[in-house]
């Protein structure tokens, strides 16, 4: 299946709650990944434990409203009896428009490809794809993207891209694993809590003792690749994945906002480099200290590292327990105000026509050419006392609070001494906005 992309790169944000979905969308992500109630490797995320309305369904609709993709994790190894439930579990998400599944189990992948042949399937990091052969195996099973292991170098990523031609997703920020990501059995062996089932106890983060010395010998520093984004793009990375489905909306919003800024800058620098036919260093790409500080304030495990330019090393381990320090409230308050407390909205224009003896007609349109028209079921009446004023109608139409929409230009035409009940006008506005939302979903 050939996948058409409308972007050169994709910023992919984690979400373990609906609040994190909203934070990621507000901060500028291109896509979100989250798990449903079952079959995901994050059993303690809110999305896996939610009661009542399915959080993923709500998230799909919200993301698509803002032209953001949503991928769902179905990345455990399945038991035989669980495979029987796979179709009925996936079908509602498929019908809701989920953009892809992130999977590990090849038997389950084969079933999904047979049942939903037009649904994207991405090879999860749980598959531990570290080579061209691993990517080609995923391709043979009909998967369209490989989520590469965090343990690869830039050269290895480039080799997989050049020799497999597969779309590649790389982790760009977040936790690192002492073992190969997705292939650690330490929690399962020592505590009976399987990481593959989303119940990892984080045993590697504990303090151990060797030769009479205590230390956090297995606790890796976190990955941070913000300064290497141009090189990752040129190595063939398409999707830049932020780790952290168990982390807070504040973390999600802060990290997404910083990486959004520098992915865009990296692409701009690459374009200018190619236009000038330059070689060598990436001119103009510099990460400001204040942005590095923002990343540190949001989450800090005692340092940063990655395998992109380094194979191994003791300095990749956070040996000592991180000393307590107060978080800079000015940084977190700024993120909270900019991306979490505010509601992102879509601006539409409105034209209202009210003619005595005819239905009220409300047309909504946007800059992309979408247009919907709602016509009232009842007629505009002649006024018995004071006729309605155009300014009053406009003020009523602009009351879109509680929705994802705001009105930009509003034109109201009132013909004759007209009267139209406020309740009916509100109903017409709600109908028109619902029609526009559906039109926007279909268009995207």
């Amino acid at each position: 299946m050939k996948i058409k992309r409308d972007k050169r790169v994709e910023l992919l944000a984690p979400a373990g709650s609906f609040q994190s979905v909203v934070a990621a969308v507000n901060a500028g992500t291109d896509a979100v990944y989250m798990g449903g109630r079952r079959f995901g490797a994050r059993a303690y995320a809110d999305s896996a434990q939610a009661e009542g309305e399915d959080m993923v369904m709500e998230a799909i609709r919200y993301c698509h409203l803002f032209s953001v993709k949503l991928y769902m994790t179905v990345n455990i190894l399945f038991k035989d009896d669980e495979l029987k439930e796979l179709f009925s579990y996936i079908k509602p998400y498929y019908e809701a428009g989920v953009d892809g599944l992130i999977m590990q189990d090849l038997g389950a992948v084969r079933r999904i490809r047979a049942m939903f042949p037009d649904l994207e399937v991405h090879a999860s990091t749980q598959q531990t794809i570290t080579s061209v052969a691993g990517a080609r195996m995923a391709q043979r099973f009909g998967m369209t993207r490989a989520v590469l292991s965090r343990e690869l170098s830039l050269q290895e990523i480039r080799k997989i891209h050049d020799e497999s031609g597969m779309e590649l997703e790389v982790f760009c920020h977040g936790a690192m694993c002492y073992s190969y990501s997705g292939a650690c059995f330490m929690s399962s062996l020592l505590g009976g809590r399987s990481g593959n089932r989303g119940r990892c106890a984080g045993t590697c983060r504990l303090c151990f003792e060797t030769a009479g010395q205590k230390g956090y010998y297995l606790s890796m520093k976190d990955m941070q690749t913000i300064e290497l984004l141009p090189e990752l793009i040129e190595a063939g990375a398409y999707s830049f994945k932020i780790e952290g489905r168990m982390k807070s909306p504040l973390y999600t919003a802060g990290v997404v906002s910083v990486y959004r800024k520098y992915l865009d800058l990296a692409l701009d620098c690459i374009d200018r480099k190619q236009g000038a036919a330059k070689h060598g260093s990436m001119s103009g790409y510099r990460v400001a200290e204040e942005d590095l500080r923002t990343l540190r304030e949001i989450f800090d495990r005692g340092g940063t590292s990655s395998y992109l330019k380094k194979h191994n090393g003791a300095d990749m381990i956070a040996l000592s327990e991180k000393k307590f320090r107060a978080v800079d409230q000015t940084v977190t308050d700024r993120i909270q105000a900019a991306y979490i407390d505010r509601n992102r909205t879509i601006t539409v224009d409105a034209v209202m026509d009210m003619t005595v003896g005819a239905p009220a007609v409300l047309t909504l349109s946007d800059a992309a050419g979408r247009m919907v028209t709602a016509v009232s079921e009842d007629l505009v009446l002649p006024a018995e006392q004071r006729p309605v004023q155009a300014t009053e109608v406009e003020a009523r139409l602009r009351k879109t609070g509680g929705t994802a929409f705001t009105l930009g230009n509003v034109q109201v035409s009132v013909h004759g001494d007209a009267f139209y009940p406020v309740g009916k006008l509100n109903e017409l506005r709600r109908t028109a906005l619902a029609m526009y939302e559906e039109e926007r979903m279909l268009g995207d």
Side-chain angles (χ1 to χ4, degrees), residues 191-246:
R193 290 173 54 176
S194 171
N196 185 256
R197 289 275 158 167
R199 293 177 171 83
C200 178
T203 317
C204 59
R205 303 299 181 189
L206 300 177
C207 185
F208 291 88
E209 182 176 337
T210 178
Q213 297 291 319
K214 291 185 177 181
Y216 293 81
Y217 299 113
L218 305 180
S219 185
M220 298 283 287
K221 294 177 181 177
D222 281 347
M223 170 184 279
Q224 180 176 291
T225 68
I226 193 77
E227 292 167 306
L228 299 175
L229 295 184
E231 292 173 78
L232 272 166
I233 294 171
E234 293 189 318
Y238 168 75
S239 183
F240 289 74
K241 186 173 199 167
I242 298 165
E243 182 275 338
R245 278 193 284 147
M246 299 294 289

Side-chain angles (χ1 to χ4, degrees), residues 142-196:
M143 287 178 271
T144 56
R145 180 188 297 185
V147 185
L148 298 181
S149 289
R150 275 162 269 206
E151 295 76 30
L152 298 182
S153 67
L154 283 166
Q155 292 78 9
E156 289 167 324
I157 292 170
R158 184 185 296 275
K159 179 179 174 66
I160 293 171
H161 172 265
D162 291 347
E163 296 187 22
S164 75
M166 195 172 192
E167 186 176 278
L168 302 182
E169 181 175 303
V170 299
F171 281 91
C172 64
H173 193 92
M176 301 229 301
C177 182
Y178 188 82
S179 175
Y180 281 94
S181 302
C184 177
F185 298 98
M186 190 175 188
S187 174
S188 183
L189 288 171
L190 296 182
R193 290 173 54 176
S194 171
N196 185 256

Side-chain angles (χ1 to χ4, degrees), residues 352-373:
M352 181 75 175
D353 186 272
M354 298 176 68
T355 302
V356 174
V361 180
L362 176 59
T363 299
L364 302 180
S365 61
D366 63 20
R370 302 181 189 89
M371 180 180 293
V372 297
T373 298

Side-chain angles (χ1 to χ4, degrees), residues 7 69 149 271 346 401:
K7 292 181 180 291
K69 296 181 183 298
S149 289
D271 287 343
I346 298 164

Side-chain angles (χ1 to χ4, degrees), residues 19-20 22-28 248-259 290-299 327-343:
Q19 290 75 19
S20 289
V22 174
V25 171
N26 283 345
S248 70
L250 184 75
Y251 166 89
T252 300
V255 177
V256 168
S257 66
V258 173
Y259 274 81
E290 64 179 296
D291 293 318
L292 293 173
R293 182 164 158 265
T294 293
L295 295 176
R296 289 195 298 269
E297 289 295 331
I298 295 167
F299 193 87
V327 174
D328 187 338
Q329 202 67 34
T330 60
V331 174
T332 56
D333 285 351
R334 174 177 57 79
I335 296 169
Q336 184 80 29
Y339 306 114
I340 299 175
D341 291 342
R342 77 177 180 90
N343 291 320

